[in-house]
Amino acid sequence: MLDEGEYSIGRQASNSLQLEENAVSRKHCVFERTGPRCSVKDLESRNGTFVNGTPVTEQQLEPGDEIRVGGTVFSYLVAPNAQASQLDSNTREVRLEDSLYLSTKGQTVLPPSARALHDLRTLLRVSTMLHSFRSLHDTRSGPAADVLRNHLTSLLLDLIPAERAGVFIPGADPGSWSPNQDVYRRACDERVVVWLEDADSAGFSAMAAPLVVRDEVAAVVYLESGDPARRFDEGHLQVLTALAGMSSVAWENATILGWLQEENERLKAELGLEHDMVGVSTKLRDLQRQMAKAAPANSTVLILGESGTGKELIARALHHNSPRTAGPFVAINCAALTDTLLESELFGHEKGAFTGAIAQKKGKLELAEGGTVFLDEVGELSPHLQAKLLRVLQQREMERVGGNKTIKLDIRLLAATNRDLVEAVKKGDFRKDLYYRLNVVTLKAPALRDRPEDILPLAEHFAKKYAAECGRKIAGLSPEARAYLQSYSWPGNVRELENAIERAVVLGSTNTLLAEDLPEQVRETHPAAVSASLYEEAVEAAKRQVVLKAFDQADHDHEKAAKILGLHPNYLHKLIRTMDLKPALKRAKR
């Protein structure tokens, strides 16, 4: 509380308030209270006095103004009856949105003090630690609240000179000690960060901050000290406010991911289907229900879907959940081999059947006896091999290349393609009778863009997988990286996502996967939640200029412009769409 008069601040002991900081001058500034008015005057200090981030020489203060002197921040607060939004003379409150360290209002510039740098470094550690919590439902290290308490408490005590600290969940047993109820209740009920200096108990001070998740107080971070040498100050209050803001976001992310993991496990148990598919989307859930019905049968299954959607993963799950699980699973990519080699690979050959056939060889169909054959990209089979495969499906028998012995087959056949076989049949590229033989049961692998809720669980899964392979510790993905992953269209589907995360793990240099670790094409479109950096804006502007110049040189011929740029025409189309260059190209063409 400021009564009438002047109050000086500086490094000298003769000041009304002494701040022992290198960034503070001996006589730094003075506050003057005259009636209801209060002003601050800088005394030609070396590093200046700031009001709301702006250096001032003298200024009358308004309620809510923040005055920074060195690394210390004062807030000028006025409440009814001439008391600054205080509940009593020794209690201070700060709203979560008014955090000095997280504020996006105005051009706030932090003073270059050693304390500010220490606080920022510790807040960075806190941020990294918080995003390592993949789930609040993981009980391998004990209940989630205990795991969070153990990690967060050690960082709190490093950041703020408290004697003890803790994270308390409303309604739960507080454990071995309880917080000050006045401070705790105010943080819960009013959803503000509270700082109490108890005048009746010399040296006792406490602070509490709520973690607000989806408009509910999920937990309260609490610190207290009874040592006069460990008193809290305005800087500690601001740091705790920033911590509460970061913790709330991390808590919500961990809650959502934990729910997704639990839901995934619940669905697996409900379906009775063993599989390696990750995700909880409705489309994936529907697919798993269909798989659970198809797996026990011996019917031929046709798996449709774009490249990279996990068609082989579906085929393997069908095999492992079928009565043939003890038999072999043989996968063949029909597009990877020439017609002659593929025929020999599928059906085998007799000695002397063709040049180089120096011995008899069993084909994959024969080797899969008692098990399952998976023909990937079956739409690429030549007419000759389509006819031979039709015989296998109709009569469950075959002959090796160059042989005349009929071999009976006990196999289940699964096939997959990313082609439209109905259209191929109409064009005469695929046999109608073979299509009907294959299309007994049809499963559709959904594209990743059609199940966006599975992107982050998949990314977390791949990050964990490749971190283990590379011997790295990956705590999780940064918020910016998550935003980019969710906004990208993933034309390469799950395979492209897996490659992107593997690249990020291999090339990343921190224990958190950052946006800059992701491939360039993933970062071409800026999500609304991420602001482009100065570097990214400059690169974007340069790209636009180069593309427009190439079209000008090519007289707006797309193929020629692509050749000038050294790009594939299809990629140039994508670049124009991504950077929204069509209007500029139309104007230039006129």
Side-chain angles (χ1 to χ4, degrees):
M1 292 290 291
L2 292 181
D3 296 325
E4 294 273 345
E6 292 188 350
Y7 299 85
S8 62
I9 295 178
R11 207 167 66 246
Q12 283 184 348
S14 59
N15 288 285
S16 304
L17 177 61
Q18 182 184 15
L19 296 178
E20 296 180 351
E21 298 180 28
N22 291 332
V24 177
S25 299
R26 285 191 286 271
K27 288 283 188 180
H28 198 102
C29 66
V30 62
F31 288 93
E32 182 176 1
R33 168 78 183 278
T34 307
R37 299 177 182 276
C38 185
S39 61
V40 63
K41 181 180 180 181
D42 184 71
L43 300 178
E44 298 183 358
S45 62
R46 183 173 72 254
N47 292 315
T49 301
F50 294 78
V51 176
N52 299 325
T54 303
V56 300
T57 53
E58 184 172 1
Q59 182 168 318
Q60 183 174 315
L61 299 176
E62 298 292 336
D65 282 349
E66 291 185 344
I67 306 95
R68 270 173 288 152
V69 179
T72 303
V73 179
F74 303 90
S75 291
Y76 180 62
L77 302 171
V78 177
N81 302 323
Q83 290 194 11
S85 75
Q86 296 175 323
L87 300 175
D88 50 53
S89 60
N90 57 3
T91 305
R92 233 291 271 128
E93 293 182 352
V94 175
R95 296 176 302 174
L96 293 170
E97 59 267 27
D98 291 335
S99 166
L100 172 67
Y101 289 99
L102 300 182
S103 175
T104 58
K105 301 175 182 177
Q107 300 298 318
T108 302
V109 179
L110 292 172
S113 67
R115 176 167 175 181
L117 291 174
H118 172 268
D119 289 350
L120 287 170
R121 288 194 187 101
T122 310
L123 285 172
L124 179 60
R125 288 172 56 202
V126 172
S127 176
T128 302
M129 183 277 295
L130 289 173
H131 287 290
S132 70
F133 286 96
R134 291 187 172 88
S135 172
L136 291 178
H137 301 274
D138 186 355
T139 58
R140 288 173 294 179
S141 303
D146 291 342
V147 177
L148 183 60
R149 180 181 295 115
N150 293 337
H151 287 272
L152 186 54
T153 299
S154 62
L155 289 175
L156 282 169
L157 294 174
D158 180 55
L159 189 60
I160 299 174
E163 287 188 293
R164 56 182 179 175
V167 178
F168 296 91
I169 300 175
D173 183 0
S176 58
W177 63 284
S178 299
N180 177 284
Q181 287 303 301
D182 287 340
V183 176
Y184 178 78
R185 292 307 331 160
R186 287 174 183 173
C188 281
D189 297 342
E190 301 176 28
R191 301 184 182 186
V192 292
V193 185
V194 183
W195 168 26
L196 168 70
E197 290 289 340
D198 194 341
D200 297 329
S201 178
F204 179 81
S205 57
M207 290 195 297
L211 306 188
V212 181
V213 177
R214 297 187 176 184
D215 205 33
E216 295 289 339
V217 177
V220 174
V221 178
Y222 175 84
L223 306 98
E224 70 177 28
S225 177
D227 184 353
R230 294 186 177 185
R231 299 178 70 86
F232 303 141
D233 58 29
E234 182 72 26
H236 299 138
L237 183 64
Q238 289 293 342
V239 167
L240 183 61
T241 305
L243 176 74
M246 293 188 299
S247 301
S248 298
V249 175
W251 190 289
E252 181 174 12
N253 289 341
T255 301
I256 293 172
L257 187 56
W259 177 85
L260 291 174
Q261 291 170 341
E262 282 191 340
E263 184 70 1
N264 194 30
E265 293 302 319
R266 184 188 69 79
L267 288 170
K268 282 185 179 180
E270 177 185 303
L271 295 170
L273 183 75
E274 294 182 12
H275 60 82
D276 295 322
M277 291 180 283
V278 176
V280 295
S281 64
T282 301
K283 288 185 179 294
L284 191 62
R285 191 182 307 173
D286 291 342
L287 172 63
Q288 291 167 359
R289 288 197 182 98
Q290 294 174 358
M291 290 168 59
K293 294 177 180 178
N298 201 42
S299 303
T300 302
V301 178
L302 179 61
I303 306 169
L304 305 176
E306 298 176 10
S307 179
T309 51
K311 296 187 290 294
E312 183 170 343
L313 202 63
I314 295 172
R316 289 184 181 276
L318 290 173
H319 170 70
H320 288 302
N321 289 273
S322 75
R324 295 177 175 269
T325 184
F329 176 85
V330 179
I332 306 163
N333 190 328
C334 300
L337 301 172
T338 64
D339 191 41
T340 303
L341 289 176
L342 180 59
E343 182 178 17
S344 176
E345 192 72 12
L346 280 172
F347 299 96
H349 59 256
E350 298 290 350
K351 180 179 180 180
F354 50 83
T355 303
I358 58 176
Q360 184 192 76
K361 176 188 173 182
K362 290 185 177 181
K364 292 291 182 68
L365 295 175
E366 194 174 347
L367 292 173
E369 181 70 13
T372 304
V373 174
F374 173 56
L375 298 181
D376 198 7
E377 304 300 345
V378 71
E380 306 303 318
L381 287 177
S382 67
H384 169 65
L385 289 181
Q386 289 179 34
K388 297 194 70 171
L389 180 60
L390 180 62
R391 181 188 175 191
V392 170
L393 288 171
Q394 287 177 328
Q395 302 175 20
R396 287 294 192 270
E397 62 182 30
M398 53 154 268
E399 294 173 358
R400 300 190 190 106
V401 176
N404 52 22
K405 178 184 176 182
T406 299
I407 300 170
K408 293 292 182 180
L409 296 173
D410 176 20
I411 60 171
R412 183 185 190 184
L413 196 137
L414 309 176
T417 182
N418 58 12
R419 292 186 62 186
D420 184 345
L421 290 187
V422 174
E423 188 63 27
V425 169
K426 289 179 180 178
K427 293 180 178 180
D429 296 333
F430 201 82
R431 293 180 64 119
K432 181 186 292 186
D433 47 3
L434 177 58
Y435 171 70
Y436 289 134
R437 284 288 182 180
L438 290 173
N439 194 33
V440 178
V441 176
T442 302
L443 298 177
K444 178 68 181 295
L448 188 54
R449 62 180 172 275
D450 294 332
R451 50 184 184 114
E453 56 267 57
D454 293 338
I455 292 174
L456 291 184
L458 281 165
E460 292 279 356
H461 168 75
F462 292 135
K464 183 177 180 180
K465 171 185 174 182
Y466 289 109
E469 290 185 6
C470 297
R472 291 192 58 200
K473 290 185 177 180
I474 300 296
L477 287 79
S478 72
E480 292 79 10
R482 290 168 179 267
Y484 275 111
L485 291 174
Q486 289 182 298
S487 65
Y488 184 57
S489 62
W490 299 109
N493 293 295
V494 179
R495 184 183 294 120
E496 184 183 10
L497 174 60
E498 181 175 5
N499 292 341
I501 298 300
E502 181 181 8
R503 176 189 186 276
V505 171
V506 172
L507 299 181
S509 57
T510 68
N511 63 353
T512 300
L513 297 187
L514 306 176
E516 51 262 39
D517 298 329
L518 298 173
E520 184 179 355
Q521 68 269 19
V522 177
R523 294 181 284 117
E524 281 182 347
T525 303
H526 290 289
V530 179
S531 299
S533 67
L534 183 62
Y535 170 77
E536 289 172 325
E537 288 178 351
V539 171
E540 182 80 4
K543 281 185 178 180
R544 293 176 64 89
Q545 185 177 1
V546 169
V547 171
L548 291 173
K549 184 178 179 181
F551 270 90
D552 185 52
Q553 293 176 351
D555 196 24
H556 290 269
D557 183 289
H558 187 89
E559 297 288 336
K560 289 182 181 179
K563 189 173 182 180
I564 291 172
L565 292 167
L567 300 175
H568 191 282
N570 291 343
Y571 182 76
L572 181 55
H573 275 300
K574 179 184 175 183
L575 206 59
I576 292 170
R577 184 173 63 255
T578 301
M579 295 191 296
D580 194 24
L581 283 174
K582 285 186 178 180
L585 289 171
K586 286 181 179 178
R587 289 194 299 270
K589 193 173 183 179
R590 293 173 188 169

